[in-house]
Amino acid sequence: LLAALGAALGPLAVADAPLGARTTYRVGGTAALWVEAAGPGDLLAVHRALVAVAAPVPLLVLGQGSNVLVAEAGFPGLVVHLGAGFADVAVEGTTVRGGGAAKLPVLARRSAAAGLRGLEWAVGVPGSVGGALRMNAGGHGSDTATVLRTWRGVDLATGEDHRGPAAELDLGYRRSSLGPSQVVVSADFALERGDRAAAEAAVDEIVRWRRAHQPGGANAGSVFTNPPGDSAGRLVEAAGCKGLRLGSAEVSTKHANFVQADPAGSADDVWRLIDVVRTTVAERTGVDLVPELRLVGFGPPPLVQAHAGRRPPQPSTSTGGRAS
């Protein structure tokens, strides 16, 4: 099946491409097939190739990889990533449009430089616009749902190029209704007029706070979502897991809701440690923590069956993107 898909994609696909190395954990295996889409035409080519194989295909749409852990076994399917051609940021009045591959810190700084308020929190999230929509990224008292107005996406299974309001994404705490075959092409954010100096000062303060309270190095940010009325980090620390080490992975001594990977470490060590922490917290506090980390290759991959005869994505000059 993958050989047929690779043949259908032709030179657009790379076999056995590094995948874990493209995440912020910087550990993990390879992708059986990798496509970096340079423009809308490449998304159309992926859709046509999926239709040509006429069978369910493991499919992953990957962004900056800042909320992803890839197993050492890798991903046994096709990974689609949007390239720099989908990373434009445009400001028009109080609306900011970001391509799906646009980096959130860039979006935050461009907005603040334009004297707009509402996206300052995004400077501390090392992900993309597409990933922000998929996970309803947020922090510092706000999130994507608060400012998102409209979005545009391409479904690699059906070929549909869709524009719609934020409400149809059903954004909740670190979740959305986006499916595995949907690629976020762009998003419009409705912001408020403000003072440029104040907005830039708020951005700088968030950066300072994060450097002071959260670890750097190889991690994917918060491992667990916060339970209602509590903090996952507090619970992990209360259970005695802060600083706990398993092989090449360690619970951060700076923030207990972060799990660090050693250089050239093992993604499987990271996952085993997360499982130990979750079990220990449940036993000692009675709270079952829910991972917000997206796991790739640790279980059955999402299968996508493409369909012919739908309206394909049309190449355009619009900014674009991806998800996760």
Side-chain angles (χ1 to χ4, degrees), residues 91-107:
V91 179
E92 184 175 341
T94 57
T95 298
V96 174
R97 172 171 293 177
K103 295 179 180 180
L104 292 175
V106 172
L107 201 71

Side-chain angles (χ1 to χ4, degrees), residues 121 123-126 138-140 174 206-217 219-223 226 252-260 292:
W121 58 268
V123 75
V125 182
H140 300 272
R174 302 297 176 265
I206 289 171
V207 171
R208 283 193 294 270
W209 187 92
R210 293 222 167 207
R211 287 175 178 169
H213 294 90
Q214 297 180 352
N219 64 66
S222 296
V223 170
N226 290 321
S252 172
T253 57
K254 193 170 188 178
H255 193 306
N257 200 21
F258 284 61
V259 172
Q260 306 284 115
E292 71 171 73

Side-chain angles (χ1 to χ4, degrees), residues 39-268:
D42 287 347
L43 296 180
L44 174 59
V46 170
H47 168 65
R48 287 173 171 165
L50 290 172
V51 170
V53 299
V57 173
L59 178 65
L60 172 69
V61 181
L62 183 76
Q64 294 297 311
S66 62
N67 194 42
V68 174
L69 179 66
V70 178
E72 293 300 319
F75 183 74
L78 171 64
V79 177
V80 177
H81 173 80
L82 295 191
F86 292 90
D88 290 347
V89 176
V91 179
E92 184 175 341
T94 57
T95 298
V96 174
R97 172 171 293 177
K103 295 179 180 180
L104 292 175
V106 172
L107 201 71
R109 292 190 181 279
R110 286 283 301 276
S111 301
L116 299 177
R117 306 297 303 267
L119 274 170
E120 294 92 335
W121 58 268
V123 75
V125 182
S128 65
V129 165
L133 269 64
R134 184 171 294 276
M135 292 297 297
N136 189 22
H140 300 272
S142 189
D143 60 13
T144 303
T146 303
V147 290
L148 181 65
R149 184 171 65 186
T150 61
W151 73 291
R152 179 185 172 197
V154 169
D155 192 320
L156 298 175
T158 66
E160 181 184 11
D161 186 340
H162 175 77
R163 299 174 188 265
E168 69 185 14
L169 293 179
D170 192 28
L171 297 175
Y173 179 45
R174 302 297 176 265
R175 66 168 178 80
S176 73
S177 62
L178 284 166
S181 64
Q182 290 178 287
V183 181
V184 175
V185 171
S186 65
D188 287 359
F189 300 91
L191 306 184
E192 297 179 354
R193 290 280 181 201
D195 177 72
R196 174 176 177 175
E200 291 181 332
V203 165
D204 292 341
E205 177 56 31
I206 289 171
V207 171
R208 283 193 294 270
W209 187 92
R210 293 222 167 207
R211 287 175 178 169
H213 294 90
Q214 297 180 352
N219 64 66
S222 296
V223 170
F224 302 104
T225 59
N226 290 321
D230 209 340
S231 160
R234 188 200 71 78
L235 289 165
V236 173
E237 189 167 355
C241 294
K242 193 172 187 178
L244 183 64
R245 173 171 282 273
L246 193 161
S248 60
E250 182 180 63
V251 178
S252 172
T253 57
K254 193 170 188 178
H255 193 306
N257 200 21
F258 284 61
V259 172
Q260 306 284 115
D262 291 347
S266 165
D268 295 351

Side-chain angles (χ1 to χ4, degrees), residues 1-10 12-17 19 30-36 50 53 57-60 75-81:
L1 175 62
L2 289 178
L5 180 59
L9 289 166
L12 189 60
V14 177
D16 295 320
L19 182 57
T30 62
L33 291 173
W34 168 274
V35 167
E36 179 153 337
L50 290 172
V53 299
V57 173
L59 178 65
L60 172 69
F75 183 74
L78 171 64
V79 177
V80 177
H81 173 80

